[in-house]
Amino acid sequence: MIDYKYDKLLSIKTTGDCEGPSAHVHYHRYEPTPYAALEQLFSRYRLSKSDCFVDMGCGKGRVAFFAHHLFQVSATGVEMNPSLYESALKNQASYIKNGKLKAGIVNFRRLLAQEYDIHPSDNVFFFFNPFSVQIFMNVIHHIGLSVAQTPRKVDLILYYPSIEYVHYVINYTPFQLIDEVRVDFLYEKNDHERFLIFRWC
């Protein structure tokens, strides 16, 4: 029920059935991150207005809108599925029309994650297992190149983290785990119900 309440508050529509299997072999089906989980994440992990938040595989834009709503940060959603991208744009129009955009920007890009041109100000990247570890590795490589060109604090947030993602980040990148946020009432039954937060060190 909390998902519908937040959608109404934000003047967006991200609830409903999950998207079916992706036609792209390396991309996974769409499933929105529960608002209840996001509440717990952002009660511990605070964003500042100078942060630029990027949701890789953003679907209809829920996480980007919620992060902006809480912190007025600039947020970008990257989505390759055309129907989900169109839904994100409709949500963007409604969000703006209803006066939710008081500072920062919320925008969406329709392209493959590995084709996203990382902006020097992008510094917080969110992943809910949107694609295979091969694409994830490619995206992380691009992030690393961006940091080398423009040194800055960069964080990764992994929700429901896959073993492959975690193994790669810990063993093959400079990112170090700085926090773990376990989702109340769910983690006890499923230890994937958590957020892992890594920082480039």
Side-chain angles (χ1 to χ4, degrees), residues 3-23:
D3 287 351
Y4 288 96
K5 289 181 178 178
Y6 267 121
D7 266 11
K8 184 176 181 180
L9 172 67
L10 300 176
S11 303
I12 61 177
K13 294 181 180 179
T14 62
T15 54
D17 295 334
C18 300
E19 193 81 4
S22 171

Side-chain angles (χ1 to χ4, degrees), residues 75-175:
T76 298
V78 179
E79 179 55 54
M80 57 83 68
N81 182 300
S83 65
L84 293 174
Y85 173 74
E86 289 301 323
S87 293
L89 291 184
K90 289 179 182 177
N91 284 330
Q92 179 190 42
S94 179
Y95 189 77
I96 294 172
K97 180 180 178 181
N98 286 278
K100 305 299 182 182
L101 197 66
K102 297 180 177 65
I105 58 171
V106 180
N107 65 80
F108 298 95
R109 300 285 308 281
R110 184 193 160 194
L111 72 172
L112 299 174
Q114 62 269 34
E115 296 174 354
Y116 175 68
D117 187 15
I118 295 169
H119 192 274
S121 61
D122 293 339
N123 70 318
V124 181
F125 296 86
F126 183 90
F127 300 83
F128 179 9
N129 300 325
F131 32 67
S132 69
V133 70
Q134 289 85 357
I135 293 179
F136 179 72
M137 292 164 61
N138 198 326
V139 173
I140 298 302
H141 176 67
H142 290 161
I143 293 172
L145 292 176
S146 177
V147 176
Q149 293 174 354
T150 308
R152 61 194 185 277
K153 181 195 80 172
V154 171
D155 290 350
L156 302 181
I157 303 174
L158 308 184
Y159 173 58
Y160 210 90
S162 74
I163 295 172
E164 294 82 5
Y165 277 28
V166 175
H167 176 79
Y168 176 72
V169 171
I170 290 176
N171 292 289
Y172 298 102
T173 79
F175 284 100

Side-chain angles (χ1 to χ4, degrees), residues 49-73:
K49 290 185 178 181
S50 62
D51 287 324
C52 289
F53 184 92
V54 181
D55 182 4
M56 290 291 185
C58 68
K60 299 176 182 179
R62 174 183 292 185
V63 179
F65 290 116
F66 194 64
H68 179 270
H69 168 72
L70 290 180
F71 305 107
Q72 296 297 299
V73 296

Side-chain angles (χ1 to χ4, degrees), residues 156-194:
L156 302 181
I157 303 174
L158 308 184
Y159 173 58
Y160 210 90
S162 74
I163 295 172
E164 294 82 5
Y165 277 28
V166 175
H167 176 79
Y168 176 72
V169 171
I170 290 176
N171 292 289
Y172 298 102
T173 79
F175 284 100
Q176 294 186 6
L177 183 67
I178 62 167
D179 202 3
E180 175 185 19
V181 180
R182 299 176 178 180
V183 181
D184 291 344
F185 310 114
L186 296 178
Y187 181 83
E188 290 75 8
K189 297 178 181 178
N190 181 350
D191 61 11
H192 287 289
E193 286 287 356
R194 59 181 180 156

